[in-house]
Amino acid sequence: MDSTPQFVSLPEFFAPDLVDKVYRVPYQQRAIAAKQWAQNYDIKPANTDQKRIGLLLIDVQNTFCLPDFELYVAGDSGQGAVTDNIRLCQFIYRNLGSITEIIPTLDSHTAMQIFHPVFWLDEAGQHPQPLTMISLAEVQSGIWRVNPDLDNVLSGSIERLQQHALHYVRQLSSDGKYPLTIWPYHSMLGGIGHALVSAVEEAIFFHSIARSSPTMFQIKGENPLTENYSVLSPEVLDTANHQTIAQKNVELINKLLDFDALLIAGQAKSHCVAWTIENLLTEIVNVDPSLAQKIYLLEDCMSPVVIPGVIDFTAQANEAFQRFAAAGMHLVKSTDSFL
């Protein structure tokens, strides 16, 4: 994979200064333009590709990518997700004829979930503030407990919910994962934060029409009793009584490993991107470690979670990506010649 990007120019409608804006994509106009673009550049339908290249886009949604939204991934620069998505759109357009299929994930939530404030109460009956970390010791000691008003909402007795909450944080601790983080309400189903960034959606739609390649959207994160950073597997799969509440996304795992090359980008590098790659690497090691060599991580199209004075996951993200590279994955930039 060492040829240069297929196109130097970009479609005239692409405007980098609109990547941080919400707008309506004019689908019919873009469909006509995509067909003309394919004709002008002799782009063949994706089903004729001899080398099948997948592009997995993790949570490129307004809630993570626009500065005024709930969990904007600012990175070190403060402009992280915005500049990431400018580069991502340019990459898609310039490599339109090489990318066989695009798979965007959509973090998808409702209010009553284990990582949202309403799920928990402290000893004074107050909900935790967003970005509170809830530890195993705090749940064991009763500093944090399940909101008793949720027994009917989540179809279970409060005792069972409390048992699950304790089991949940214990499982996170024993698996060496981040402590349970209480996130601001975000990626709410039906809300504008849940939608893909308009400019990225436009690029994906353009690709779909130009290459006659259906976009394979992947919903994740809707289970109220577990987090789902990775699109491939929820954080915790069972209850305290060992009843299954979630499963690995085996169908998607198999699809990703079937590509001749898989490119990965999205947000956030330290969380949903890293978790997804970690899960994928686990599957690769179990099947054939050499498969790692066909994974390409677009590092300039992702940023870590950084909130100045609060949390900074840059070091954790870099450590994870060095581990991925050591396993055989390629750390690349969107402007590198690797397609």
Side-chain angles (χ1 to χ4, degrees):
M1 299 179 67
D2 55 4
S3 62
T4 57
Q6 189 168 355
F7 307 117
V8 175
S9 61
L10 297 167
E12 291 184 359
F13 61 80
F14 174 64
D17 60 346
L18 292 182
V19 173
D20 64 348
K21 304 293 191 298
V22 175
Y23 60 86
R24 182 186 66 82
V25 175
Y27 299 113
Q28 184 60 24
Q29 294 177 38
R30 296 297 176 261
I32 294 170
K35 283 294 187 182
Q36 188 62 53
W37 191 268
Q39 181 178 339
N40 292 346
Y41 288 97
D42 193 28
I43 300 173
K44 306 300 183 187
N47 63 9
T48 66
D49 288 354
Q50 293 185 346
K51 178 178 288 184
R52 297 181 61 257
I53 298 174
L55 175 59
L56 177 63
L57 300 182
I58 308 295
D59 300 357
V60 190
Q61 298 164 266
N62 292 329
T63 200
F64 303 113
C65 297
L66 300 192
D68 292 335
F69 280 73
E70 301 87 358
L71 280 174
Y72 173 56
V73 181
D76 294 326
S77 68
Q79 290 295 310
V82 174
T83 53
D84 293 339
N85 286 333
I86 292 174
R87 289 186 285 260
L88 176 60
C89 289
Q90 292 171 337
F91 178 81
I92 292 172
Y93 289 127
R94 285 178 171 151
N95 295 281
L96 203 71
S98 299
I99 300 168
T100 306
E101 186 171 357
I102 299 179
I103 305 172
T105 73
L106 292 167
D107 209 31
S108 307
H109 303 316
T110 57
M112 311 300 178
Q113 296 198 246
I114 198 167
F115 47 80
H116 277 158
V118 71
F119 194 93
W120 298 89
L121 292 174
D122 64 13
E123 295 169 300
Q126 299 298 310
H127 298 299
Q129 291 297 309
L131 304 181
T132 297
M133 301 280 190
I134 293 183
S135 69
L136 172 60
E138 289 172 327
V139 178
Q140 287 175 322
S141 65
I143 292 176
W144 292 111
R145 57 187 177 85
V146 173
N147 180 353
D149 293 337
L150 299 186
D151 57 347
N152 291 330
V153 175
L154 296 180
S155 301
S157 71
I158 193 61
E159 289 79 14
R160 285 200 299 273
L161 283 176
Q162 189 65 41
Q163 288 173 0
H164 176 71
L166 178 58
H167 164 76
Y168 190 86
V169 293
R170 180 181 288 120
Q171 196 69 43
L172 292 179
S173 178
S174 64
D175 289 346
K177 297 182 178 181
Y178 291 159
L180 173 63
T181 302
I182 301 303
W183 296 107
Y185 299 103
H186 66 287
S187 292
M188 301 295 285
L189 277 168
I192 195 170
H194 183 259
L196 289 172
V197 170
S198 298
V200 176
E201 181 203 0
E202 191 169 34
I204 293 172
F205 178 80
F206 193 83
H207 169 271
S208 178
I209 298 296
R211 305 235 47 214
S212 298
S213 175
T215 304
M216 184 182 178
F217 294 97
Q218 292 288 307
I219 302 294
K220 71 179 182 71
E222 70 271 30
N223 191 314
L225 296 179
T226 183
E227 299 159 285
N228 216 143
Y229 293 120
S230 168
V231 68
L232 303 181
S233 181
E235 294 298 283
V236 175
L237 303 178
D238 61 6
T239 67
N241 297 324
H242 306 293
Q243 294 179 329
T244 299
I245 59 171
Q247 296 179 333
K248 292 193 302 183
N249 191 339
V250 176
E251 180 179 356
L252 180 58
I253 291 169
N254 292 337
K255 182 178 183 64
L256 297 180
L257 293 181
D258 191 48
F259 284 113
D260 296 305
L262 177 67
L263 322 177
I264 301 177
Q267 303 301 338
K269 180 180 181 180
S270 53
H271 286 72
C272 294
V273 175
W275 259 255
T276 297
I277 299 169
E278 187 74 57
N279 284 166
L280 185 61
L281 180 58
T282 297
E283 298 298 325
I284 285 172
V285 169
N286 290 336
V287 175
D288 178 358
S290 69
L291 294 176
Q293 297 174 19
K294 65 180 184 178
I295 310 299
Y296 293 77
L297 310 180
L298 301 176
E299 281 203 289
D300 64 339
C301 296
M302 58 181 74
S303 294
V305 171
V306 178
I307 303 175
V310 181
I311 51 176
D312 185 340
F313 286 99
T314 301
Q316 291 92 327
N318 291 339
E319 179 182 350
F321 273 65
Q322 287 306 308
R323 187 170 66 256
F324 301 150
M329 296 182 181
H330 305 274
L331 307 185
V332 298
K333 296 185 182 301
S334 60
T335 52
D336 289 345
S337 298
F338 63 91
L339 282 182

